[in-house]
Amino acid sequence: MTLVIFAFVFWLVSWRLNFVLANSAASETRLIKLVVPVIFGSTILVIWELVVRGLNVPLVILPPPSVIADTFLAKWFGFDWHSKAAVVVVMVFFPMLINTVAGLSETTAMQRDLMKTYNADPWQAFIKLRLPAAMPFIFNGLKISTTLALIGAIVAEFFGSPTLGMGFRISASIGQLALDMVWAEIVVAAIAGSAFYGIVAIIEKGVTFWHPSQRG
């Protein structure tokens, strides 16, 4: 329990430090823009570690970050689904990151000043202004990621799947000159990619109905 209390105190101190830095006169400098997210991410990891260890949470429920790091450094991803997931994560991470950052920067100075006029705190301004304004960009990243994830998984299976997966079937069928199977797998991939894209587009239409791109 002592670690949990320390985690709470650590969170308060880190939150206050980030709040002061984000609202200081130097908040627009490159250094502060770099330090604030680093403090935020580090705070999450430290609190995660302290809470999990303080409450003795079983590993099967939530392992601490230190154990995850040790396991990551001790073995390769291997030929199981973990290696495919790693490829997919790498492929979709940057499109999502770039679109999200661009979306969070979409608000104008007048809109931000209006939130200050309403006496909104940073969390309220994020929920009511910055996050809604970023949603079209976030969904744009999601639509890109749906196709990239499928491509990444299939390509990863070309090189790292022993006997399973669409990529393995395509590779093996090419070697056997079974072009009917190759084209059948391509059709399945095209249908799956279109379905994933369509699902995200439908959700986007419901969430961002107010955006000009969804009108008419």
Side-chain angles (χ1 to χ4, degrees):
M1 188 59 67
T2 303
L3 290 177
V4 176
I5 297 175
F6 181 76
F8 180 73
V9 174
F10 183 80
W11 174 79
L12 287 177
V13 173
S14 300
W15 176 83
R16 182 60 184 173
L17 177 60
N18 251 4
F19 180 82
V20 171
L21 291 175
N23 292 275
S24 65
S27 61
E28 295 300 321
T29 61
R30 181 176 299 179
L31 177 61
I32 298 300
K33 288 183 177 180
L34 177 63
V35 169
V36 168
V38 169
I39 293 177
F40 177 76
S42 302
T43 301
I44 292 178
L45 292 176
V46 172
I47 292 176
W48 179 358
E49 181 81 21
L50 293 175
V51 170
V52 169
R53 292 191 178 277
L55 297 179
N56 294 319
V57 178
L59 290 179
V60 295
I61 298 178
L62 184 64
S66 58
V67 174
I68 297 175
D70 291 340
T71 304
F72 176 81
L73 295 175
K75 56 181 184 59
W76 293 92
F77 287 107
F79 291 98
D80 206 349
W81 66 268
H82 307 84
S83 58
K84 289 72 176 176
V87 173
V88 170
V89 168
V90 170
M91 292 191 69
V92 304
F93 176 76
F94 290 103
M96 284 302 306
L97 176 65
I98 293 171
N99 279 276
T100 301
V101 171
L104 292 175
S105 305
E106 181 66 9
T107 56
T108 64
M110 183 177 295
Q111 291 171 328
R112 294 191 293 270
D113 290 341
L114 181 61
M115 295 301 293
K116 292 180 180 178
T117 302
Y118 291 151
N119 197 30
D121 57 41
W123 180 248
Q124 291 174 322
F126 174 79
I127 293 296
K128 297 181 180 297
L129 176 62
R130 299 185 67 192
L131 185 58
M135 291 309 294
F137 291 83
I138 293 175
F139 274 103
N140 185 53
L142 287 173
K143 288 189 290 188
I144 295 173
S145 298
T146 54
T147 54
L148 285 179
L150 184 62
I151 294 171
I154 294 175
V155 171
E157 289 173 350
F158 280 151
F159 308 101
S161 181
T163 57
L164 299 173
M166 293 179 61
F168 167 78
R169 288 185 177 275
I170 293 174
S171 178
S173 299
I174 291 176
Q176 298 168 359
L177 296 179
L179 297 185
D180 54 342
M181 176 61 75
V182 173
W183 282 103
E185 294 290 343
I186 292 174
V187 170
V188 171
I191 293 175
S194 300
F196 293 149
Y197 186 94
I199 291 172
V200 174
I202 292 173
I203 298 174
E204 177 188 19
K205 191 172 184 64
V207 174
T208 62
F209 60 91
W210 48 268
H211 195 263
S213 62
Q214 302 297 331
R215 295 175 185 170

